[in-house]
Amino acid sequence: MDDAMKCPACNSEHAYQDRGLWVCPECAHEWSAEAAAATETSPEPGVRDINGNLLVDGDSVVVIKDLKVKGSSSVVKGGTKVRNIRLTEATDGHNIACKIDGIGAMNLKSEFVKKA
């Protein structure tokens, strides 16, 4: 059966078309075929901050919480502004390379920053 005919709410295969809408008899969910096609498209790829804003090389970001620096007793305080970031393809989740005043070069995870 076609995936467009499955209910997006409960994944039931018993959905039927009624005029311009699809209807699920099991959960009473209604949707249009255009809306189903729009939800299947994924957002554009890229690195996003905690609020979902797309980050690019050269952006400035603000650290949202205190982060311990691995191998050191230093801490990057929440609210620290980091300028001129570089995006990297890291397998460990650290996808932002930057230099922080007083600490030096380090990598950050995008889930701990917001766009400034």
Side-chain angles (χ1 to χ4, degrees):
M1 180 159 284
D2 188 15
D3 285 338
M5 295 177 152
K6 289 185 179 180
C7 176
C10 68
N11 206 25
S12 170
E13 295 182 352
H14 302 291
Y16 61 91
Q17 190 170 12
D18 183 24
R19 297 183 191 156
L21 295 176
W22 286 92
V23 180
C24 177
E26 294 182 11
C27 69
H29 179 70
E30 297 179 355
W31 72 97
S32 66
E34 294 83 24
T39 58
E40 289 177 5
T41 60
S42 62
E44 68 182 63
V47 177
R48 298 189 178 271
D49 69 355
I50 190 73
N51 296 325
N53 297 321
L54 188 64
L55 298 174
V56 294
D57 287 343
D59 276 347
S60 294
V61 295
V62 176
V63 178
I64 61 169
K65 68 180 235 176
D66 291 353
L67 301 173
K68 293 180 182 178
V69 179
K70 191 173 189 177
S72 173
S73 62
S74 302
V75 174
V76 177
K77 292 287 188 179
T80 302
K81 188 170 186 177
V82 181
R83 294 178 179 85
N84 198 18
I85 64 169
R86 290 184 330 271
L87 302 179
T88 60
E89 294 292 328
T91 58
D92 61 350
H94 294 84
N95 48 8
I96 297 175
C98 61
K99 288 184 181 178
I100 298 178
D101 293 337
I103 295 177
M106 66 181 308
N107 294 332
L108 297 172
K109 291 183 178 183
S110 61
E111 61 195 50
F112 297 121
V113 298
K114 66 179 179 178
K115 196 169 187 174

